[in-house]
Amino acid sequence: GYETSEVTVETIDGREFSTMELTLPAGDLIIKQKFYVLKIDDYMFNFVASYQDDSKDQVIAIMESLTFQ
């Protein structure tokens, strides 16, 4: 099975995304996914970042570098 976190809010480039993390055991690996959702007018913009603990810092750096027009 997998575990999910509570929904939280994370600000990226001044926009507030609702986020939720999912942890999924896959054999000897633990895969983590973070779901990002942003409502823009009548649309929902979303993406998922997948990583393992050893690459979490890289994922955070990428997310912090995002800019929106």
Side-chain angles (χ1 to χ4, degrees):
Y2 58 87
E3 296 177 17
T4 59
S5 71
E6 296 293 320
V7 174
T8 60
V9 174
E10 187 170 324
T11 302
I12 300 173
D13 193 35
R15 299 185 184 233
E16 290 188 348
F17 285 79
S18 295
T19 66
M20 183 180 78
E21 291 184 290
L22 180 134
T23 303
L24 176 67
D28 293 339
L29 301 174
I30 302 292
I31 306 298
K32 296 192 176 183
Q33 293 185 312
K34 191 165 188 178
F35 294 76
Y36 294 82
V37 179
L38 173 67
K39 185 172 190 275
I40 303 172
D41 299 323
D42 292 332
Y43 301 94
M44 300 301 280
F45 171 68
N46 63 73
F47 57 94
V48 180
S50 300
Y51 60 92
Q52 293 179 278
D53 280 334
D54 61 348
S55 62
K56 184 174 183 175
D57 290 342
Q58 291 171 316
V59 171
I60 291 169
I62 291 167
M63 303 315 274
E64 290 176 347
S65 73
L66 294 177
T67 58
F68 300 92
Q69 295 184 5

